[in-house]
Each structure stands twice: as C-alpha cells, then as structure tokens.
Amino acid sequence: MTADQPGGAEWRQEKEKSNLAILRLMVWISLTFGRRIGRLVLYGIAAYYVLCAPKARNFSRAYLHRALGRWAEWSDGFRHVLSFASTVHDRIYLLNDRFDLFDIEVIGAEALHAALEKQPGALLIGAHLGSFEVLRAVGRGRAGLKIAMLMYEENARKINATLAAINPAASEDIIPLGRMDSMLQARDRLDEGYLVGMLADRGLGDDSTVDCDFLGEMAPFPVGPFRIAAMLRRPVFFMTGLYLGGNRYQIHFEALADFSDTPREARQAAMHAAQQAYAERLSHFCRLAPYNWFNFFDFWQKK
C-alpha cells in the first residue's frame, strides 16, 4: 500500500535534545581522559533520558516489545539508550582515526568486492541501526575503500558541528540530500568507485511510503531511497554496523538488489521487491541486536 503521507517525518518534529555545550564537554572529557572515563558519563546520560523523556521511553518500549518478543523492562530501555549513547560517543574516536580502540569484525565483504570488480561504485542502504560511522572508519582505514553518505543533516546539525570541529575532514564525504545537485554528486562519487550509503527507515516529509511487514506489523517506509537507487543503476547492499557492547562492532553487508541492468518498465516492481527485502533484513537484524535500532518516535504511527 502506497500513501502520500509524511513517511516517517515525525522524527523531524521531535524536539532536539542534543545540547552543543554538553557535547563539547563530552568531547573534551573523552579526548582528555580516554574512552573508559568517557563511557562512565554515558551511564548517567542514559539514566537521565530514560527517567526524564517519557515519550521516547514509551516508543522505545513499543519497539523493544516487538524485537525482543516479550515485555520490555526498564532495564531494556536503559540498555537501548545506553547503546545509542555509546555509538555516538565512539564517533569521537572513530573520527580521529583511533581504530586501535575497537574490535571490528566485517561479514559479507566478499560479495561487495565482487560487485565492485564488475563496475565502479555500489550503493549501501542501511537504517538507524548501530553505527554508520564505524563503516566509514573501516573505509578510511583500508586502502581503496572510499565511502560517501547521502544524508539529511538538519536534525543532527549540532552534533555534526561538534564532530566537524574535532576533525574537519569528517564532513568531506557527506552528500547533502535535498539539493539540486545531490544526484549528480552521488553519480560522480559512484563513477569514482565510491560506496554511497543511504538510510532508508526515515522519510523527509514529502516522500511517498510503502507499508512493509516490519517485526510482525505493517509500518510505512519511504520510497525515496529505493527510487534513488533505481535511478543511479548500481548494485545495492544492505549494510549495518552493529554495536555488540564494550569496544566490539560487527559490520554486515548483504546483497539486496541490482539495478544495473533493470529496464525502465521493470523499475517499479524492482523497487518494490528491494524495499520489501530491506524491511525483512532490518527485522532480522533488529531481532539479532535489538538494542541497536535508534528510532525513538512513533514508527508504526499508532496515534
């Protein structure tokens, strides 16, 4: 079912709670005293949000109930927020090329490299699941693997400003969505052999949606990322960088679709199939690592 509705745009209406001064303080603490001391502060931040943000807490519980297959306790909500805070905190070190602090496992890279041997560039479609920054970090740390990101920047402008102040080069591989030349920039990066990533579990407000089975219930997913993928005519891989606790991350690549030779008349059906496959893989990884999905709003739109 397709609907010309907000497409997950409610996330844009949620009050941004990030505070630039607090983020800068966290950056200073983390870089001055190290990751272990910095992580101690995260427990207080997570407890504060679980206690003082009831709306987000209720939406977290609604999601965790589906992902865990049981009633979500207060401790589950705390782990959910702590996982989110941990991935944000780790970006400080990843943006400063401190890969030595992390144990990062990569699964499924062989198929991705095989696709890149056939033609330059591939598309990575993910979600607000785990850390995309750890994927970009692996790319920067390995010769020949260049990664750019098509992303909606406004909602995270404060944290992006803080992280850009830590490492100005970090913003160079971001292609802003919504500009006249966004598609041209993405095409050029692909032609240069880049992996271009998109997150497909939030819409921008004016995008149509398709209802897909997600964790056993229909939920609206934006069509836009798959329309872009079809127009760019490249192989598409599902990707996620799961946070496994401590300093451990696990990056997954799975072939999702290939629009390289899809004729125009078959494009709509191919887009629909790819989006359904995306929702199925997202469900799989949410059950595999339930505290990694970071959408703290009414995703199923149960008003």
Side-chain angles (χ1 to χ4, degrees):
M1 177 180 176
T2 303
D4 295 320
Q5 294 177 355
E10 181 182 341
W11 67 274
R12 295 176 64 185
Q13 300 168 10
E14 294 295 318
K15 182 180 179 181
E16 184 179 302
K17 293 181 169 59
S18 299
N19 182 285
L20 188 57
I22 294 176
L23 287 170
R24 288 190 184 278
L25 176 62
M26 275 299 302
V27 168
W28 180 80
I29 291 172
S30 300
L31 294 181
T32 302
F33 298 104
R35 184 172 180 269
R36 181 172 297 179
I37 298 299
R39 280 184 59 80
L40 293 177
V41 182
L42 300 183
Y43 287 84
I45 294 174
Y48 170 81
Y49 277 103
V50 172
L51 292 171
C52 301
K55 194 173 182 181
R57 181 176 67 241
N58 290 335
F59 292 141
S60 168
R61 175 170 286 175
Y63 154 70
L64 288 172
H65 174 73
R66 294 175 172 90
L68 294 169
R70 59 169 173 80
W71 175 255
E73 304 291 346
W74 187 93
S75 58
D76 294 309
F78 178 80
R79 285 188 64 184
H80 193 194
V81 177
L82 181 61
S83 293
F84 174 59
S86 296
T87 61
V88 173
H89 181 238
D90 283 344
R91 291 180 71 190
I92 295 170
Y93 302 101
L94 293 167
L95 286 166
N96 281 279
D97 298 334
R98 290 299 310 276
F99 313 131
D100 58 296
L101 296 174
F102 302 98
D103 177 8
I104 303 174
E105 180 185 9
V106 181
I107 298 174
E110 297 82 3
L112 179 62
H113 286 301
L116 293 174
E117 289 178 359
K118 295 179 180 179
Q119 64 176 328
L123 291 161
L124 307 177
I125 294 190
H128 292 81
L129 181 75
S131 171
F132 185 80
E133 188 56 49
V134 74
L135 173 62
R136 290 201 292 159
V138 169
R140 286 196 300 271
R142 296 185 181 183
L145 185 58
K146 300 174 292 185
I147 301 173
M149 185 69 180
L150 275 164
M151 66 176 292
Y152 182 78
E153 293 182 284
E154 180 182 338
N155 193 56
R157 62 189 179 278
K158 291 182 180 179
I159 191 170
N160 283 340
T162 302
L163 296 175
I166 303 167
N167 183 356
S171 61
E172 292 180 358
D173 53 3
I174 293 175
I175 304 170
L177 278 169
R179 298 185 181 180
M180 292 292 291
D181 63 342
S182 295
M183 289 291 290
L184 293 177
Q185 288 188 51
R187 183 201 62 190
D188 290 345
R189 297 288 181 89
L190 289 167
D191 288 345
E192 293 167 7
Y194 274 72
L195 303 176
V196 175
M198 296 180 284
L199 304 184
D201 57 342
R202 291 183 189 174
L204 299 183
D206 56 356
D207 194 8
S208 60
T209 65
V210 168
D211 285 346
C212 300
D213 185 351
F214 176 51
L215 295 175
E217 190 167 352
M218 303 305 286
F221 285 84
V223 175
F226 297 90
R227 184 181 295 121
I228 291 173
M231 292 174 66
L232 290 172
R233 301 177 65 83
R234 285 301 201 285
V236 180
F237 286 78
F238 183 93
M239 58 86 180
T240 184
L242 300 178
Y243 175 62
L244 303 182
N247 70 337
R248 296 181 301 124
Y249 284 87
Q250 191 177 75
I251 298 174
H252 291 262
F253 297 105
E254 292 189 2
L256 200 64
D258 191 346
F259 292 100
S260 302
D261 300 313
T262 304
R264 184 177 296 273
E265 61 273 14
R267 188 176 292 174
Q268 190 67 33
M271 286 167 48
H272 181 71
Q275 191 165 20
Q276 295 291 339
Y278 167 83
E280 189 279 325
R281 298 319 295 158
L282 181 57
S283 294
H284 167 78
F285 284 106
C286 282
R287 291 190 173 105
L288 182 68
Y291 304 106
N292 271 250
W293 193 59
F294 305 135
N295 278 321
F296 298 94
F297 65 95
D298 183 15
F299 191 83
W300 283 265
Q301 298 186 8
K302 300 294 182 183
K303 303 296 185 182

